[in-house]
Amino acid sequence: MGKSSMYIASTILFLAIVVGFTYWLSTTEEHAGSEGSHGEQTEDSAGGEAEKIFSQNCASCHGENLGGGAGPALEAVGGKYSKDEILGIIKNGKGGGMPAGVIQGKEAEMVAKWLSEKK
């Protein structure tokens, strides 16, 4: 390989590294933008996650848009119950229709907080 070919090959390799690093850096910044300063979820991403959990576990009874169905509407549930009261209903169930523990742990807390903001 001549000096010219070596120069071209090393230039291509250098550019590939720069492009790869730039791509990696941009995806890292996008990911960091959706989390807090210590890898924690921001309010917006937590709300989106809570909505996703609700959609997967609760919407079949309470409606995709919180409008109700087999279960009551939850559009303004935060005006009636606090976050802790909603969490208690999620954990323990209510009446004969709401089963206990449909969602649990951190997910239940996220959904309770999200629903408590519906007023």
Side-chain angles (χ1 to χ4, degrees):
M1 209 182 239
K3 284 186 180 185
S4 177
S5 299
M6 239 0 204
Y7 176 76
I8 291 172
S10 60
T11 301
I12 291 172
L13 179 62
F14 174 75
L15 290 174
I17 291 170
V18 168
V19 169
F21 180 74
T22 303
Y23 174 77
W24 173 80
L25 187 59
S26 71
T27 57
T28 302
E29 286 174 357
E30 287 173 12
H31 181 68
S34 67
E35 295 182 355
S37 60
H38 299 290
E40 298 169 357
Q41 291 184 332
T42 62
E43 288 289 320
D44 289 341
S45 66
E49 185 67 21
E51 190 171 357
K52 182 179 174 184
I53 294 164
F54 176 89
S55 181
Q56 293 171 343
N57 297 283
C58 313
S60 60
C61 291
H62 294 286
E64 194 66 41
N65 296 316
L66 307 174
L74 300 175
E75 297 158 320
V77 71
K80 186 174 181 180
Y81 297 110
S82 70
K83 175 192 170 259
D84 290 335
E85 290 171 320
I86 295 169
L87 184 58
I89 294 169
I90 292 170
K91 286 181 176 180
N92 304 315
K94 183 168 180 173
M98 173 68 186
V102 173
I103 49 178
Q104 299 175 0
K106 198 102 168 140
E107 290 183 340
E109 289 186 34
M110 288 171 53
V111 171
K113 181 179 184 314
W114 178 71
L115 287 172
S116 72
E117 295 167 355
K118 307 297 179 197
K119 299 182 182 189

